[in-house]
Amino acid sequence: MIKIQNLSFRYSGTQKPALRGINLEVGDGEFVLLTGPSGGGKSTLCRCLNGLVPHFYGGEISGKVEVEGLDVLTSSTRQLATRVGMVFQDPENQTVATDVEREIAFGLENLAFPRELMARRIEEALDSVGIAHLRCQPVNELSGGERQKVAIAAVLALHPSILVLDEPTSELDPRGAEEILNLVKRLNDELGLTILLVEHRLDRVVQHVDRVIVLKDGEILSDGSPREVLSELAQGEIGLPPIVRLARGLKARGITFADTPLTVREGRACLSEVLQERKLSPPRPPRYNLEPRSSPKLGAPLIEVKKLHFAYEGEVTVLEDINLQIFEGEFVALMGRNGSGKTTLVKHFNGLLKPTRGEVIVDGLNTRETSVATLARKVGYVFQDPNVHLLAESVEEEIAFTLKNLGFKGEERQRQIEEVLERFDLTRYRSQYPRSLSGGEKQRVAIASILAARPKIVILDEPTRGMDYKIKSELMEFLDEYRRDGRAVILVTQDVELAAEHADRVILLNEGRIVAEGNKREVLSGALLFSPQINRLAQSLRNQGFPQDILTADEVLGLL
């Protein structure tokens, strides 16, 4: 199916190879997970399979890539399109038509399929992903999960035998992610498609795959079954699922299992044995404190939202009766399903949007009466799409651009630049064109350019998309330190595990209303969709006296 021999590739204008000496074979019908640190070569390897590398992305390439008997280096992208279908991280980047049916037809039309065959392929693709009811819907009115299904359907219409997905769930809420992964698994099981899936969030996918390949610095670091790879690699190399971290923590204490558990169900069976041998302390509030670090003392409110209503022009109300305070020293996670109003809400905090009714006060300033430029000195906003930030010719210039606009000069400006380059591991990229970097690297540049100015309030909208575990952890540690100086951090995220480990307070939105708000334990414990993996494990062990407000693997280890 896929044979790669001694593959090396270096993008034009870069010194470091993106891939080095890759040797790999993938058989028919395999479900393979590609993971590893950001910039490790995962997306580049995927692009080599459908000819985007080297035919579209220029550079130096050597070695051999063969897909279903075709030599990728000498075959056209047109020939490869019916063999390898690729779904990108952001479905908007591959959407070209206005409605769903035209979007699915687009690739077929470009390959000059006969009209009758096109009609049949469109019907098959709609049915395969379960979106026949969306046939006439405008693409721009679909949810993130629906758009991703449309992107998959458009690829399936070409009848590829290999489906490559580059972080297809990174922008989706837990329910949307589960739907997409179940769909991909079904395509693998029922249609026999070979699947290559790029993903950092292993807790979502590891139970579905046959094989895990870890790429680091352009080379294959590990290749094997999920249990083999997750048992041998260190936490810094990949982000181990919480269940696996728990099992490895127990192993370090001399408690071993026949197999490393990968799911809540397997973890429950393993932990039940441990609970029979070890006595747990009883539930303890208010003396019980499992926090991995002490929460800072909160100061005055930095943001006050009073009876906020908002509707985009000519549309129904998006936010309804929002009342909220965010204080100095707080780390707040804003969560909710796709389309619940999270981004719309935080855009009121820096003045990009003004209330239809009600008011928003930011550090004593009414946003109705304050310019966006003035608010920008107080509120740093990192957009969901890092490309929105990237305007300069180099990473260093990108960071300097923000500082110049905010009045930083001379040595102070250069000191801030050097500090954030080092903090976000960007020093080696300082002279590179930002848009040529990987998705995770671009995200780090965007965050660095905003945090360099050290605003009093920082808002990050899905900032960890495309980030590996190490960089994500370092960012969260930095943000934890950052808010302790009397600042506030607002994290818009779909990453339940991230919120469970690092936030103090969770605000849950649904259809433009706050449906839950409070300490993260109160909001995340026992939730159906927004419950972390370890809490789901705890819920299943309630009859054995297991505390129900446990959120992380470290907390479980602290109990045993």
Side-chain angles (χ1 to χ4, degrees):
M1 177 61 73
I2 298 173
K3 293 183 180 179
I4 299 175
Q5 296 177 325
N6 298 319
L7 173 64
S8 296
F9 178 73
R10 181 175 62 81
Y11 288 100
S12 298
T14 63
Q15 299 299 318
K16 181 182 174 183
L19 297 172
R20 294 187 290 186
I22 299 293
N23 289 283
L24 178 65
E25 288 193 17
V26 178
D28 287 349
E30 272 198 278
F31 193 154
V32 179
L33 169 64
L34 292 176
T35 191
S38 298
K42 301 181 294 297
S43 295
T44 302
L45 181 59
C46 291
R47 291 167 184 163
C48 289
L49 301 179
N50 66 353
L52 287 176
V53 169
H55 301 311
F56 182 79
Y57 294 94
E60 297 178 8
I61 191 167
S62 62
K64 186 174 183 180
V65 182
E66 192 176 284
V67 175
E68 287 199 316
L70 284 181
D71 186 336
V72 171
L73 303 190
T74 58
S75 301
S76 68
T77 53
R78 180 188 180 90
Q79 288 175 296
L80 293 164
T82 57
R83 289 170 171 80
V84 181
M86 187 162 181
V87 179
F88 296 95
Q89 185 181 71
D90 184 352
E92 292 184 14
N93 288 342
Q94 63 187 100
T95 301
V96 293
T98 55
D99 64 61
V100 170
E101 189 171 40
R102 286 191 177 92
E103 181 63 33
I104 296 172
F106 182 79
L108 299 168
E109 290 173 339
N110 274 277
L111 294 177
F113 276 68
R115 185 168 295 277
E116 289 183 5
L117 180 58
M118 282 177 52
R120 188 170 75 246
R121 291 282 185 93
I122 291 170
E123 293 301 323
E124 291 173 351
L126 288 167
D127 289 337
S128 293
V129 300
I131 58 170
H133 62 290
L134 299 177
R135 174 196 305 274
C136 299
Q137 286 286 101
V139 174
N140 62 4
E141 293 181 7
L142 302 179
S143 69
E146 288 170 338
R147 284 195 183 198
Q148 202 64 283
K149 288 180 181 178
V150 172
I152 293 172
V155 167
L156 290 180
L158 299 175
H159 281 200
S161 50
I162 301 168
L163 183 60
V164 181
L165 303 105
D166 194 353
E167 296 203 63
T169 67
S170 63
E171 295 185 16
L172 303 182
D173 59 50
R175 180 178 177 181
E178 185 177 351
E179 288 179 353
I180 292 298
L181 292 172
N182 286 339
L183 166 62
V184 173
K185 178 61 175 171
R186 183 167 58 81
L187 294 173
N188 175 245
D189 289 340
E190 297 179 7
L191 301 183
L193 292 186
T194 301
I195 307 290
L196 273 78
L197 174 69
V198 178
E199 184 61 74
H200 287 292
R201 297 274 304 279
L202 303 195
D203 55 294
R204 286 179 165 180
V205 302
V206 73
Q207 68 271 26
H208 296 303
V209 305
D210 306 313
R211 179 178 173 191
V212 177
I213 297 173
V214 182
L215 287 175
K216 182 180 181 182
D217 296 328
E219 298 178 303
I220 294 178
L221 179 66
S222 185
D223 181 359
S225 73
R227 291 189 206 280
E228 291 170 346
V229 173
L230 297 185
S231 296
E232 69 184 28
L233 282 185
Q235 169 74 347
E237 303 290 356
I238 55 176
L240 297 175
I243 290 288
V244 176
R245 296 211 303 270
L246 174 58
R248 291 175 65 158
L250 292 172
K251 183 179 179 181
R253 300 182 181 195
I255 303 171
T256 58
F257 311 109
D259 289 313
T260 299
L262 301 180
T263 65
V264 171
R265 181 179 179 179
E266 294 175 356
R268 179 171 64 246
C270 294
L271 201 55
S272 291
E273 298 176 13
V274 176
L275 293 178
Q276 291 172 7
E277 300 172 5
R278 306 228 169 180
K279 188 176 180 181
L280 284 176
S281 301
R284 298 136 308 256
R287 292 175 296 169
Y288 172 43
N289 179 20
L290 286 173
E291 300 300 337
R293 57 180 184 268
S294 59
S295 297
K297 191 173 182 179
L298 301 183
L302 284 176
I303 296 175
E304 296 180 83
V305 182
K306 303 175 182 178
K307 297 182 177 180
L308 170 64
H309 290 71
F310 178 78
Y312 291 101
E313 187 174 351
E315 297 188 16
V316 296
T317 300
V318 179
L319 298 175
E320 190 171 355
D321 197 27
I322 302 290
N323 292 280
L324 180 65
Q325 285 186 316
I326 294 175
F327 298 88
E328 293 176 345
E330 262 201 307
F331 196 138
V332 177
L334 184 61
M335 306 184 74
R337 293 176 60 180
N338 292 98
S340 60
K342 303 184 298 296
T343 298
T344 300
L345 176 57
V346 294
K347 282 184 176 180
H348 281 80
F349 300 164
N350 69 346
L352 287 176
L353 297 176
K354 307 292 185 183
T356 303
R357 296 205 316 269
E359 59 183 12
V360 178
I361 309 298
V362 175
D363 200 22
L365 299 175
N366 191 318
T367 60
R368 285 183 182 276
E369 303 162 359
T370 310
S371 69
V372 173
T374 300
L375 289 169
R377 298 179 180 278
K378 295 180 178 289
V379 183
Y381 190 113
V382 181
F383 290 91
Q384 195 173 60
D385 181 0
N387 292 309
V388 172
H389 294 269
L390 306 181
L391 305 171
E393 294 299 312
S394 72
V395 169
E396 183 171 359
E397 289 174 23
E398 196 66 60
I399 297 169
F401 178 79
T402 302
L403 294 173
K404 287 177 185 176
N405 285 343
L406 295 177
F408 288 81
K409 297 180 181 178
E411 292 183 6
E412 181 186 17
R413 183 169 70 206
Q414 194 58 39
R415 186 174 64 252
Q416 295 286 78
I417 292 171
E418 298 299 331
E419 182 180 319
V420 296
L421 284 173
E422 183 175 351
R423 165 64 73 173
F424 294 102
D425 192 25
L426 293 169
T427 303
R428 54 186 164 159
Y429 302 119
R430 67 188 309 153
S431 300
Q432 280 193 229
Y433 181 53
R435 287 177 177 262
S436 70
L437 300 176
S438 73
E441 290 162 349
K442 286 193 284 189
Q443 196 75 11
R444 277 150 54 198
V445 174
I447 293 169
S449 69
I450 296 300
L451 291 180
R454 302 188 72 81
K456 201 163 186 179
I457 301 162
V458 61
I459 300 166
L460 303 102
D461 196 349
E462 297 288 356
T464 58
R465 183 180 69 169
M467 280 190 188
D468 61 60
Y469 177 83
K470 180 176 180 291
I471 297 296
K472 187 191 296 187
S473 297
E474 290 174 354
L475 171 62
M476 291 301 115
E477 288 174 10
F478 175 78
L479 293 174
D480 182 50
E481 295 172 12
Y482 190 83
R483 56 77 177 262
R484 289 174 184 270
D485 295 329
R487 300 180 177 90
V489 172
I490 303 168
L491 183 69
V492 180
T493 184
Q494 305 285 12
D495 191 334
V496 176
E497 305 298 341
L498 195 71
E501 287 195 40
H502 299 283
D504 303 318
R505 180 158 59 115
V506 172
I507 299 168
L508 191 60
L509 285 181
N510 184 41
E511 296 183 353
R513 286 178 172 270
I514 294 177
V515 294
E517 175 191 358
N519 178 278
K520 63 183 177 183
R521 296 193 187 285
E522 299 170 3
V523 177
L524 298 180
S525 295
L528 293 176
L529 289 176
F530 292 92
S531 178
Q533 194 176 49
I534 293 298
N535 187 254
R536 297 198 299 275
L537 175 64
Q539 299 301 316
S540 70
L541 295 168
R542 64 170 63 86
N543 293 334
Q544 293 176 257
F546 207 83
Q548 300 297 283
D549 58 352
I550 293 284
L551 298 179
T552 68
D554 288 341
E555 294 172 358
V556 178
L557 294 171
L559 283 174
L560 298 176

